[in-house]
Amino acid sequence: MAAVVLAATAISERLHVPAPLLLIVVGAAASYVPMLPTIHLESEVVLLGLLPPLLYAAAIQTSLVDFNANRGAILRLSVLLVVVTTMAVAAVVEWLVPGLGWAAAIAIGAVVAPPDAVAATAVAKRIGLPRRVVTILEGESLLNDATALVALRTAIAFLAGSLTVMEVGLDFVRAAGGGAIVGFALFALVAWLRKRITDPLLDTGISFLTPFAAFVAAEEIDASGVISVVVAGLLLGHKAPIIQTAQSRITERITWRTVAFILENTVFLLIGLQLDWILEDVRESTLPVGRIVLLCLATLATVIVTRLVYMQVTWIFRRTDPLPSSWTFLIGWAGMRGVVTLAAAFVIPEETPHREVLLLVAFTVVAGTLLLQGLTLPLLARVLDVPAPDPAEDALARAALLQQAADAGLARLDELEYDDHHGVSDQIRARLDQRSFAAWEQLATAEDSETPSQLYARIRGAMIEAERAKVLLVRSKGKIPSDVVSGVLAMLDIEESMLDAAAEAPERTRIGSLAFTGGRQCDDLDAFPAVDTVADPACATCLADGTPWVSLRQCLECGHVGCCDSSIGKHATAHFHETLHPVMESAQPDESWRWCFVHNLTG
């Protein structure tokens, strides 16, 4: 299965098709291959084996700040919409299958109600939807499983005749509140341990235990394991820069990305593999084939239409910080279902009337939403002209943030007391400048010229190749301890990976017009708004000295044009020191961002 997942994912990149969709088709076709065993996906395998690590992997990478900023929309989708969808589907199913009963109808409604985190965000990130849309979809998918599973548990209890209406509300409160308390308690415990552990392997080992411990502990007290895992993951991800060492964070991040990649895609293959035996069981149903087909299609249509209508209705009442109508429609269309829907269907008791048909309904909704909505979502995003995150704007924000961080570090350097007889402080300042300059150079719009940081990366990369070849030659002679050789190779790998990351960025930034919208304002930026810079700008001092420039900046007080700090002369900064004119603007084509020398802010 892992081999098929890796191969299908690689093929999907070449075909420009989302991997989840291709894997479902591959799994469905494979389910009919005679030599392959029939795989019955048990609910415990998904709800305890797959769901906790997938939720945790998503939660630790989700920004708690962004989640909190969109908590209203997320909670409405993950709680209210799940309830509305559950009841809408229940009404349709109960109408089409007389004698099924409202409890069983509500059960299947709860099963198909929650969209899948993996399915939605896998497609959304691939086609480049706005970050706020992705955040809302991720946040919704992290919590809606809890609402659906509690609703399913309630419906099953009604089927058994062991639950009163009064107990339903208490069950929801216990599930949500208990899950949050357990998740916070586990976060506190893991945070306490991590502050005392510096070994990255031990730290990552603890992270493997965390989602399962959170899920099982919450379920043991009849609380929501889903909410427990999400709360623990969100808090641990948010506090990671404080409670973990840098090496532990890097190790955990890479490890969980690998685990999530394998599990996420395996899930979709598993969904497809269920088709054969589900259809085999349906052949024994007492319901007419026409009624079964109508039921499956009607449920699929109800799930899709209910979400679209709900998004449009609730959008009207969203007065503060509303989403554009095109974004609202896109969120409504991105309601793909996944493995939790199929796993939850298996929880329905075997003695439930027409259970085999209800399983087919769940499969139809999962496959139908993934194929119909997943395949058309990229086209819809283009038709609605929904903007993807601008790489150039990200590069500018990154450069501005690194500049502020460097300034804070230099301020701390000036405060420290030390005897510097070896010029260490000058080396530190030079390295900080190199890092900051490389970030600013990623904004250069001249594609036919090589920036200093690109030249450095190319030359240093060639040197590292030669260095690695020499180390490998020495290793082959067996005269140096293998641990020493491995340590040196690891150092070269780390430096090369930093060069690779820096080299990739410029190609991604040359897209669109660059107008920075994420900066903070100061009095000087307010006093000097952006203007149309001069046509065919040039640095007169560079021309006089016969030196090249990297990028050009224009003073907004006197109009002087000078070269940036990555250039040899650094004439824009020199102009500030000479005149104290506080604000400059990029004079590069298609760039309209400003920089305040006094407050070190980008506008």
Side-chain angles (χ1 to χ4, degrees):
M1 289 182 66
V4 171
V5 163
L6 295 174
T9 305
I11 293 172
S12 72
E13 293 291 329
R14 291 179 175 272
L15 299 178
H16 302 289
V17 174
L21 309 183
L22 181 60
L23 283 164
I24 284 186
V25 174
V26 170
S31 70
Y32 285 95
V33 176
M35 65 191 70
L36 294 181
T38 300
I39 297 178
H40 286 260
L41 189 60
E42 300 294 336
S43 59
E44 290 84 357
V45 172
V46 176
L47 298 182
L48 180 59
L50 296 176
L51 186 58
L54 286 174
L55 285 172
Y56 184 77
I60 60 175
Q61 296 180 52
T62 299
S63 167
L64 186 60
V65 175
D66 292 344
F67 185 95
N68 187 52
N70 295 282
R71 65 183 181 276
I74 290 172
L75 289 176
R76 283 191 294 271
L77 288 170
S78 59
V79 178
L80 184 57
L81 178 56
V82 169
V83 174
V84 170
T85 304
T86 298
M87 299 311 298
V89 170
V92 171
V93 171
E94 209 280 333
W95 173 56
L96 290 175
V97 188
L100 180 65
W102 275 102
I106 291 175
I108 190 60
V111 163
V112 300
D116 180 65
V118 177
T121 56
V123 177
K125 288 182 177 179
R126 181 182 176 278
I127 64 177
L129 294 184
R131 286 200 179 91
R132 190 176 178 191
V133 171
V134 176
T135 297
I136 291 173
L137 291 174
E138 282 181 333
E140 174 199 7
S141 301
L142 286 174
L143 295 177
N144 59 11
D145 291 336
T147 307
L149 291 175
V150 171
L152 176 60
R153 186 169 62 189
T154 303
I156 292 174
F158 270 123
L159 279 171
S162 60
L163 194 66
T164 65
V165 176
M166 179 64 70
E167 291 172 322
V168 173
L170 294 176
D171 196 34
F172 270 98
V173 173
R174 181 171 63 249
I181 291 172
V182 172
F184 184 84
L186 198 67
F187 153 72
L189 174 61
V190 174
W192 181 83
L193 288 172
R194 281 183 162 172
K195 287 182 179 179
R196 289 155 179 80
I197 292 175
T198 56
D199 186 343
L201 296 180
L202 279 176
D203 193 292
T204 304
I206 289 174
S207 76
F208 276 137
L209 292 176
T210 301
F212 299 104
F215 191 89
V216 172
E219 293 292 326
E220 282 296 313
I221 62 170
D222 290 330
S224 171
V226 171
I227 291 180
S228 177
V229 173
V230 170
V231 169
L234 282 173
L235 293 174
L236 286 171
H238 185 66
K239 292 293 185 180
I242 301 173
I243 61 178
Q244 285 181 284
T245 63
Q247 201 170 5
S248 293
R249 288 195 298 274
I250 293 171
T251 303
E252 183 187 37
R253 188 183 306 121
I254 294 174
T255 302
W256 272 108
R257 282 180 62 186
T258 305
V259 170
F261 169 75
I262 296 294
L263 288 184
E264 285 172 0
N265 290 293
T266 301
V267 157
F268 295 108
L269 184 62
L270 282 169
I271 291 173
L273 286 169
Q274 308 308 300
L275 178 62
D276 181 31
W277 71 265
I278 288 178
L279 288 179
E280 187 67 31
D281 288 350
V282 168
R283 291 191 183 99
E284 301 176 4
S285 174
T286 57
L287 286 178
V289 174
R291 180 61 61 93
I292 294 174
V293 172
L294 177 61
L295 176 63
C296 291
L297 295 179
T299 305
L300 175 61
T302 301
V303 163
I304 295 174
V305 172
T306 300
R307 183 178 177 89
L308 290 173
V309 172
Y310 175 89
M311 288 303 302
Q312 297 306 313
V313 170
T314 55
W315 173 72
I316 297 174
F317 298 103
R318 191 181 294 113
R319 300 183 183 279
T320 58
D321 195 20
L323 293 169
S325 57
S326 59
W327 294 21
T328 303
F329 188 84
L330 209 60
I331 293 174
W333 192 250
M336 288 80 79
R337 270 58 178 176
V339 72
V340 173
T341 290
L342 206 56
F346 300 138
V347 178
I348 299 175
E350 293 189 6
E351 62 273 12
T352 304
H354 307 298
R355 180 178 184 268
E356 70 285 348
V357 176
L358 298 182
L359 291 179
L360 180 61
V361 167
F363 182 90
T364 302
V365 171
V366 172
T369 55
L370 280 170
L371 295 175
L372 176 61
Q373 295 177 307
L375 286 174
T376 57
L377 193 61
L379 175 62
L380 185 63
R382 290 194 296 270
V383 170
L384 296 176
D385 195 24
V386 176
D390 188 348
E393 194 167 317
D394 290 349
L396 178 54
R398 185 186 306 112
L401 185 58
L402 278 173
Q403 187 73 53
Q404 293 178 33
D407 292 337
L410 290 173
R412 179 63 177 143
L413 179 65
D414 293 336
E415 295 172 359
L416 296 174
E417 296 181 2
Y418 54 91
D419 294 324
D420 186 7
H421 302 297
H422 307 285
V424 173
S425 63
D426 291 337
Q427 295 179 35
I428 292 174
R429 292 176 189 275
R431 290 184 181 181
L432 274 181
D433 284 345
Q434 184 184 25
R435 187 186 71 184
S436 298
F437 295 164
W440 286 108
E441 287 166 20
Q442 290 175 7
L443 303 172
T445 55
E447 298 186 26
D448 55 345
S449 61
E450 193 173 37
T451 65
S453 61
Q454 289 174 308
L455 178 62
Y456 173 87
R458 181 165 62 85
I459 294 175
R460 185 67 189 119
M463 291 174 62
I464 289 175
E465 262 188 60
E467 291 172 28
R468 184 180 291 111
K470 181 64 176 178
V471 172
L472 293 176
L473 178 63
V474 172
R475 183 184 68 175
S476 66
K477 297 179 180 179
K479 296 181 179 180
I480 302 294
S482 59
D483 290 348
V484 175
V485 174
S486 298
V488 172
L489 289 173
M491 292 170 62
L492 294 176
D493 288 344
I494 291 173
E495 185 176 356
E496 187 177 30
S497 68
M498 295 172 66
L499 294 177
D500 291 341
E504 289 174 2
E507 297 303 319
R508 298 195 305 266
T509 57
R510 297 178 181 132
I511 301 173
S513 179
L514 183 54
F516 187 56
T517 57
R520 293 180 294 150
Q521 287 297 105
C522 63
D523 292 340
D524 292 309
L525 286 172
D526 288 336
F528 295 96
V531 300
D532 290 333
T533 52
V534 296
D536 299 324
C539 177
T541 312
C542 283
L543 292 175
D545 295 342
T547 56
W549 61 75
V550 177
S551 296
L552 296 174
R553 315 292 184 231
Q554 179 174 316
C555 175
L556 290 183
E557 186 163 341
C558 67
H560 174 82
V561 175
C563 58
C564 69
D565 282 359
S566 292
S567 307
I568 297 173
K570 305 180 181 180
H571 295 128
T573 299
H575 176 73
F576 163 69
H577 290 307
E578 292 171 5
T579 63
L580 297 183
H581 294 170
V583 180
M584 69 176 187
E585 181 179 11
S586 172
Q588 296 298 118
D590 299 321
E591 295 184 10
S592 59
W593 55 271
R594 296 165 296 144
W595 175 261
C596 175
F597 285 102
V598 177
H599 301 98
N600 290 331
L601 291 178
T602 310

